[in-house]
Amino acid sequence: MDTISTRANAKPSLDTILAQVDKEFKVSTDHIRTIIKQFTIEMAKGLDHDGATVPMIPTFVTGRPSGKEQGRYLALDLGGTNLRVCSFELQGGGKYSVHQQKYVISDRLKTGEMRELCDFIADCVDNFISEHGSDHLEEALQLGFTFSFPVLQTDINRGSLIYWTKGFNCTGAVNKDVVVLLQDAFLRKNLNVNIAAIVNDTVGTLMAHSYLHPNTSMGVILGTGTNACYYEKRENIKKWKSKDKQQFDEMVINMEWGAMDNERRVLPLTVYDNKLDRESINPRQQIFEKMISGMYLGEIVRNAILGLVDQWVLFDGQSSPDMNRQWGFETAYMTTILADKSKDLTSVQHVLQDILQVPSTSLQDRTIVRHICHLVAERAARLSAAGIAAVLSHSGHIDQESSVAIDGSVYEFLPGFEDHMTALLVDLFGNDIKQRIRFALAKDGSGFGAAIVAMVAHMNASTAESS
């Protein structure tokens, strides 16, 4: 890192400061091409063998929705404070209606026996389908189960819990098949519900949007964390050694792309990224995610601001306890700052002085802070688009009309994020790319997406039984 100034030196001009920050955070299109090349190499390794940096996990989801399907499907979303039960009525033509209900999961259930948690879930599903008039159906209701914890999946509706996260620590669950445990609870309550699929939220994002837009080729999460999935041809999944007679032309691959370049070969890491990584709970892991996701962007900005404070370039060398605290600068502040188009940057002033308690700021200080936020967001968007470009080039969809379904707060709320992504694709592939590739906000992959996966899984199982 080049230093700009010291207290004893004359204060540099605004242009000099902005140019120095540009130098640290701008990523050239040539450098992006190098990153895309490395992405392609890492994808090939993950498809070839287990244990690769980018794991490229087979999801057992085969087949695409056409948007014409009809019928009723349930979704169950477990992964936080609430349990959500949803019922989706698919009406064809990409249309559907939904009923849903949330149920609070107590701390006692989160840390008790798994059987008790499963019985509670079964009670909630029983309550839900009774209220919505589905308790006397002859055919079993098909359910998609979004289980947002690390799972070793062995089939579309089979998966063993690897370990708990997010404050859950139920006994009798680790290394057990969570689908079997929950299905047993349904049987104990005589519920005519079949768990057709266990679903990752990224895959759900892809499938939810595919029902509405059948030309969707990728699902991407750009929120607190990041991930992507896409349709891969059977012959390219070299590590697929299932003895199962299941025939398929393509399968959805859950990339877990946040780990891309953990080896630090190509990503443009600054001293601010290195500091964040070193102080994180998982150093030298999820390097790509740490450069583009909402959990980390604010911290990168904070590190860059403090670097300039230490050089007496910002705030006359003054900081504040909140600014000095790890994670003290929330990524949500970037949204407020980037949306500020006022002459005096009053929203930027509000964040810095009223929220973060910086003693005083000049217009130049606020201009620099806004520029840092712009650069960190732009870099994140360009790196995200680089990953998408790598996948679409690999799959051949870059030359076709295709939708990329994206969910997450970073993509949805950071001003200019989608524009930066599109600008990179234009730099790489020319202006015509805007007519072919369409980014689309796709919400509720964990609900509607899970129901669509259940529908696809049930149709595949029915086809297999009749053949």
Side-chain angles (χ1 to χ4, degrees), residues 202 218-221 226-230 253-257 391:
T202 315
M218 273 187 83
V220 181
I221 303 291
T226 184
N227 194 13
C229 67
Y230 72 103
I253 294 292
N254 168 23
M255 296 177 69
E256 294 294 347
W257 76 358
V391 174

Side-chain angles (χ1 to χ4, degrees), residues 23 75 181 227 247 256 321:
K23 190 174 160 188
L181 295 175
N227 194 13
Q247 296 298 311
E256 294 294 347

Side-chain angles (χ1 to χ4, degrees), residues 315-443:
F315 319 143
D316 286 326
Q318 300 291 310
S319 186
S320 71
D322 284 338
M323 185 69 86
N324 293 340
R325 181 171 47 83
Q326 188 185 20
W327 314 115
F329 191 104
E330 296 176 17
T331 301
Y333 300 160
M334 293 173 67
T335 300
T336 303
I337 287 169
L338 290 172
D340 189 355
K341 300 290 195 289
S342 67
K343 190 170 68 126
D344 294 327
L345 297 178
T346 49
S347 294
V348 182
Q349 184 174 25
H350 170 68
V351 169
L352 294 173
Q353 294 180 213
D354 299 339
I355 299 176
L356 292 168
Q357 299 289 298
V358 173
S360 68
T361 64
S362 66
L363 180 57
Q364 174 161 312
D365 289 335
R366 300 194 287 275
T367 302
I368 293 166
V369 167
R370 190 179 186 283
H371 192 62
I372 291 170
C373 290
H374 168 83
L375 290 172
V376 170
E378 180 187 48
R379 186 185 70 164
R382 286 170 69 82
L383 291 173
S384 303
I388 291 169
V391 174
L392 294 178
S393 297
H394 164 83
S395 66
H397 287 102
I398 202 74
D399 299 318
Q400 304 167 16
E401 282 193 18
S402 182
S403 290
V404 177
I406 307 176
D407 192 9
S409 53
V410 168
Y411 175 77
E412 185 174 1
F413 297 119
L414 263 188
F417 202 86
E418 182 184 320
D419 292 340
H420 294 315
M421 292 173 69
T422 303
L424 177 70
L425 291 190
V426 170
D427 285 350
L428 291 168
F429 303 107
N431 214 43
D432 288 353
I433 196 75
K434 290 194 284 190
Q435 271 65 58
R436 296 197 302 277
I437 306 301
R438 191 176 72 91
F439 297 137
L441 181 64
K443 297 179 75 67

Side-chain angles (χ1 to χ4, degrees), residues 20 24 55 93 95 110 118 127 141 206 209 231 274 283 285 293 296 304 325 333 335 337 340 357 419 463:
Q20 179 59 40
E24 292 182 307
K95 294 186 173 67
K110 288 182 182 180
C118 289
N127 167 272
L141 282 166
L206 169 62
H209 203 258
Y231 293 101
N274 290 332
Q285 294 175 33
S293 72
Y296 304 103
R325 181 171 47 83
Y333 300 160
T335 300
I337 287 169
D340 189 355
Q357 299 289 298
D419 292 340
T463 303

Side-chain angles (χ1 to χ4, degrees), residues 144-286:
F145 183 21
T146 300
F147 185 73
S148 300
F149 302 93
V151 164
L152 179 64
Q153 199 162 343
T154 53
D155 204 341
I156 186 73
N157 61 347
R158 289 288 174 267
S160 299
L161 176 68
I162 301 170
Y163 53 82
W164 287 110
T165 58
K166 304 178 200 176
F168 281 75
N169 197 21
C170 295
T171 57
V174 173
N175 297 326
K176 300 282 178 62
D177 190 323
V178 292
V179 175
V180 170
L181 295 175
L182 184 57
Q183 192 72 63
D184 283 349
F186 288 171
L187 290 171
R188 286 195 292 275
K189 287 212 65 83
N190 293 313
L191 281 177
N192 199 12
V193 174
N194 176 58
I195 304 172
I198 186 166
V199 185
N200 168 287
D201 62 350
T202 315
V203 177
T205 297
L206 169 62
M207 300 302 276
H209 203 258
S210 293
Y211 183 74
L212 309 175
H213 303 279
N215 71 342
T216 307
S217 56
M218 273 187 83
V220 181
I221 303 291
L222 293 171
T224 306
T226 184
N227 194 13
C229 67
Y230 72 103
Y231 293 101
E232 182 58 272
K233 295 182 183 68
R234 163 74 182 83
E235 60 266 26
N236 292 338
I237 312 172
K238 309 290 187 195
K239 65 184 176 184
W240 181 261
K241 300 187 173 64
S242 176
K243 304 281 193 299
D244 189 22
K245 292 176 181 157
Q246 178 187 12
Q247 296 298 311
F248 63 91
D249 296 323
E250 58 183 8
M251 179 183 284
V252 178
I253 294 292
N254 168 23
M255 296 177 69
E256 294 294 347
W257 76 358
M260 211 295 283
D261 202 35
N262 277 351
E263 301 81 3
R264 299 165 174 247
R265 291 190 181 101
V266 296
L267 288 176
L269 293 156
T270 66
V271 291
Y272 316 118
D273 298 294
N274 290 332
K275 183 174 189 295
L276 178 151
D277 179 53
R278 195 165 55 246
E279 295 173 352
S280 69
I281 59 169
N282 56 344
R284 303 192 79 83
Q285 294 175 33
Q286 298 295 102

